[in-house]
mmCIF file of all heavy atoms in Angstrom:
data_model
loop_
_atom_site.group_PDB
_atom_site.id
_atom_site.type_symbol
_atom_site.label_atom_id
_atom_site.label_comp_id
_atom_site.label_asym_id
_atom_site.label_seq_id
_atom_site.Cartn_x
_atom_site.Cartn_y
_atom_site.Cartn_z
ATOM 1 N N SER A 115 -18.256 26.632 21.018
ATOM 2 C CA SER A 115 -17.697 26.137 19.756
ATOM 3 C C SER A 115 -16.763 24.940 19.873
ATOM 4 O O SER A 115 -16.227 24.474 18.874
ATOM 5 C CB SER A 115 -16.967 27.266 19.030
ATOM 6 O OG SER A 115 -17.908 28.273 18.685
ATOM 7 N N SER A 116 -16.543 24.434 21.095
ATOM 8 C CA SER A 116 -15.723 23.223 21.242
ATOM 9 C C SER A 116 -16.014 22.600 22.605
ATOM 10 O O SER A 116 -16.571 23.245 23.498
ATOM 11 C CB SER A 116 -14.226 23.539 21.132
ATOM 12 O OG SER A 116 -13.798 24.256 22.276
ATOM 13 N N GLY A 117 -15.572 21.360 22.742
ATOM 14 C CA GLY A 117 -15.710 20.687 24.029
ATOM 15 C C GLY A 117 -14.868 21.370 25.102
ATOM 16 O O GLY A 117 -15.282 21.481 26.259
ATOM 17 N N THR A 118 -13.691 21.826 24.723
ATOM 18 C CA THR A 118 -12.820 22.539 25.662
ATOM 19 C C THR A 118 -13.517 23.770 26.225
ATOM 20 O O THR A 118 -13.480 24.038 27.426
ATOM 21 C CB THR A 118 -11.513 22.970 24.954
ATOM 22 O OG1 THR A 118 -10.795 21.802 24.569
ATOM 23 C CG2 THR A 118 -10.644 23.830 25.839
ATOM 24 N N GLU A 119 -14.158 24.514 25.332
ATOM 25 C CA GLU A 119 -14.869 25.712 25.776
ATOM 26 C C GLU A 119 -16.013 25.344 26.725
ATOM 27 O O GLU A 119 -16.312 26.080 27.675
ATOM 28 C CB GLU A 119 -15.440 26.415 24.540
ATOM 29 C CG GLU A 119 -15.106 27.867 24.448
ATOM 30 C CD GLU A 119 -15.863 28.521 23.305
ATOM 31 O OE1 GLU A 119 -15.787 28.032 22.158
ATOM 32 O OE2 GLU A 119 -16.555 29.520 23.573
ATOM 33 N N THR A 121 -16.173 22.673 28.840
ATOM 34 C CA THR A 121 -15.699 22.305 30.182
ATOM 35 C C THR A 121 -15.113 23.518 30.905
ATOM 36 O O THR A 121 -15.336 23.701 32.095
ATOM 37 C CB THR A 121 -14.634 21.189 30.116
ATOM 38 O OG1 THR A 121 -13.546 21.627 29.299
ATOM 39 C CG2 THR A 121 -15.211 19.914 29.533
ATOM 40 N N TYR A 144 -9.985 13.090 30.259
ATOM 41 C CA TYR A 144 -9.546 14.280 29.517
ATOM 42 C C TYR A 144 -10.748 15.195 29.348
ATOM 43 O O TYR A 144 -11.846 14.742 29.019
ATOM 44 C CB TYR A 144 -9.003 13.872 28.146
ATOM 45 C CG TYR A 144 -8.633 15.043 27.246
ATOM 46 C CD1 TYR A 144 -7.554 15.869 27.546
ATOM 47 C CD2 TYR A 144 -9.382 15.315 26.093
ATOM 48 C CE1 TYR A 144 -7.216 16.933 26.719
ATOM 49 C CE2 TYR A 144 -9.043 16.380 25.260
ATOM 50 C CZ TYR A 144 -7.962 17.182 25.579
ATOM 51 O OH TYR A 144 -7.633 18.233 24.757
ATOM 52 N N HIS A 145 -10.520 16.479 29.589
ATOM 53 C CA HIS A 145 -11.635 17.427 29.481
ATOM 54 C C HIS A 145 -11.285 18.588 28.568
ATOM 55 O O HIS A 145 -11.759 19.706 28.766
ATOM 56 C CB HIS A 145 -12.015 17.942 30.869
ATOM 57 C CG HIS A 145 -12.312 16.847 31.849
ATOM 58 N ND1 HIS A 145 -13.430 16.055 31.762
ATOM 59 C CD2 HIS A 145 -11.620 16.386 32.922
ATOM 60 C CE1 HIS A 145 -13.423 15.158 32.747
ATOM 61 N NE2 HIS A 145 -12.328 15.347 33.467
ATOM 62 N N GLY A 146 -10.437 18.346 27.582
ATOM 63 C CA GLY A 146 -9.988 19.446 26.735
ATOM 64 C C GLY A 146 -8.757 20.090 27.333
ATOM 65 O O GLY A 146 -8.250 19.671 28.385
ATOM 66 N N HIS A 147 -8.266 21.151 26.672
ATOM 67 C CA HIS A 147 -6.972 21.705 27.093
ATOM 68 C C HIS A 147 -7.110 22.943 27.972
ATOM 69 O O HIS A 147 -6.319 23.877 27.917
ATOM 70 C CB HIS A 147 -6.089 21.964 25.871
ATOM 71 C CG HIS A 147 -6.655 22.939 24.886
ATOM 72 N ND1 HIS A 147 -6.399 24.288 24.970
ATOM 73 C CD2 HIS A 147 -7.477 22.766 23.835
ATOM 74 C CE1 HIS A 147 -7.039 24.901 23.978
ATOM 75 N NE2 HIS A 147 -7.706 24.005 23.283
ATOM 76 N N GLU A 206 -15.743 11.953 33.424
ATOM 77 C CA GLU A 206 -16.323 11.266 32.269
ATOM 78 C C GLU A 206 -17.087 10.048 32.816
ATOM 79 O O GLU A 206 -16.452 9.124 33.319
ATOM 80 C CB GLU A 206 -15.231 10.779 31.312
ATOM 81 C CG GLU A 206 -14.514 11.858 30.530
ATOM 82 C CD GLU A 206 -13.503 11.225 29.554
ATOM 83 O OE1 GLU A 206 -13.925 10.748 28.493
ATOM 84 O OE2 GLU A 206 -12.313 11.209 29.872
ATOM 85 N N ASN A 211 -11.037 8.571 27.160
ATOM 86 C CA ASN A 211 -9.730 9.137 26.871
ATOM 87 C C ASN A 211 -8.558 8.434 27.551
ATOM 88 O O ASN A 211 -7.431 8.922 27.516
ATOM 89 C CB ASN A 211 -9.735 10.631 27.214
ATOM 90 C CG ASN A 211 -10.585 11.424 26.214
ATOM 91 O OD1 ASN A 211 -10.219 11.562 25.065
ATOM 92 N ND2 ASN A 211 -11.742 11.915 26.651
ATOM 93 N N ASP A 239 -18.852 15.167 32.151
ATOM 94 C CA ASP A 239 -18.308 15.547 30.847
ATOM 95 C C ASP A 239 -18.734 14.476 29.843
ATOM 96 O O ASP A 239 -18.139 13.396 29.775
ATOM 97 C CB ASP A 239 -16.783 15.672 30.924
ATOM 98 C CG ASP A 239 -16.189 16.145 29.602
ATOM 99 O OD1 ASP A 239 -16.942 16.256 28.612
ATOM 100 O OD2 ASP A 239 -14.972 16.401 29.562
ATOM 101 N N GLU A 240 -19.792 14.795 29.102
ATOM 102 C CA GLU A 240 -20.339 13.854 28.120
ATOM 103 C C GLU A 240 -20.005 14.305 26.691
ATOM 104 O O GLU A 240 -20.780 14.087 25.773
ATOM 105 C CB GLU A 240 -21.854 13.707 28.312
ATOM 106 C CG GLU A 240 -22.236 13.105 29.662
ATOM 107 C CD GLU A 240 -23.263 11.985 29.544
ATOM 108 O OE1 GLU A 240 -23.147 11.172 28.603
ATOM 109 O OE2 GLU A 240 -24.179 11.958 30.398
ATOM 110 N N VAL A 241 -18.845 14.962 26.547
ATOM 111 C CA VAL A 241 -18.442 15.413 25.205
ATOM 112 C C VAL A 241 -18.323 14.204 24.265
ATOM 113 O O VAL A 241 -18.699 14.284 23.092
ATOM 114 C CB VAL A 241 -17.137 16.234 25.271
ATOM 115 C CG1 VAL A 241 -16.583 16.504 23.878
ATOM 116 C CG2 VAL A 241 -17.383 17.558 25.997
ATOM 117 N N ILE A 242 -17.823 13.084 24.777
ATOM 118 C CA ILE A 242 -17.798 11.859 23.958
ATOM 119 C C ILE A 242 -19.082 11.057 24.117
ATOM 120 O O ILE A 242 -19.701 10.649 23.137
ATOM 121 C CB ILE A 242 -16.612 10.938 24.345
ATOM 122 C CG1 ILE A 242 -15.303 11.478 23.762
ATOM 123 C CG2 ILE A 242 -16.841 9.514 23.810
ATOM 124 C CD1 ILE A 242 -14.122 10.554 23.945
ATOM 125 N N LYS A 267 -18.576 17.259 20.206
ATOM 126 C CA LYS A 267 -18.467 16.169 19.230
ATOM 127 C C LYS A 267 -19.779 15.927 18.467
ATOM 128 O O LYS A 267 -20.078 16.672 17.550
ATOM 129 C CB LYS A 267 -17.887 14.916 19.906
ATOM 130 C CG LYS A 267 -16.478 15.232 20.473
ATOM 131 C CD LYS A 267 -15.583 14.063 20.753
ATOM 132 C CE LYS A 267 -14.152 14.552 20.955
ATOM 133 N NZ LYS A 267 -13.658 14.498 22.321
ATOM 134 N N MET A 275 -18.458 22.631 17.658
ATOM 135 C CA MET A 275 -19.631 22.839 18.513
ATOM 136 C C MET A 275 -19.378 22.240 19.882
ATOM 137 O O MET A 275 -18.754 21.192 20.008
ATOM 138 C CB MET A 275 -20.844 22.154 17.860
ATOM 139 C CG MET A 275 -22.104 22.117 18.704
ATOM 140 S SD MET A 275 -22.870 23.721 18.929
ATOM 141 C CE MET A 275 -23.689 23.858 17.352
HETATM 142 C C1 PLP B 1 -12.854 15.679 23.054
HETATM 143 C C2 PLP B 1 -13.164 15.915 24.479
HETATM 144 C C3 PLP B 1 -13.119 17.198 25.039
HETATM 145 C C4 PLP B 1 -12.594 18.385 24.273
HETATM 146 O O1 PLP B 1 -13.380 18.691 23.169
HETATM 147 P P1 PLP B 1 -12.706 19.587 21.985
HETATM 148 O O2 PLP B 1 -13.861 19.834 21.061
HETATM 149 O O3 PLP B 1 -11.631 18.728 21.397
HETATM 150 O O4 PLP B 1 -12.198 20.814 22.598
HETATM 151 C C5 PLP B 1 -13.560 17.371 26.335
HETATM 152 N N1 PLP B 1 -13.996 16.325 27.065
HETATM 153 C C6 PLP B 1 -14.036 15.068 26.571
HETATM 154 C C7 PLP B 1 -14.565 13.968 27.416
HETATM 155 C C8 PLP B 1 -13.604 14.828 25.265
HETATM 156 O O5 PLP B 1 -13.586 13.580 24.800
#
Side-chain angles (χ1 to χ4, degrees):
S115 296
S116 70
T118 295
E119 231 188 307
T121 58
Y144 175 68
H145 306 290
H147 61 90
E206 289 183 79
N211 289 291
D239 183 354
E240 296 227 40
V241 170
I242 283 187
K267 300 200 166 108
M275 172 70 79

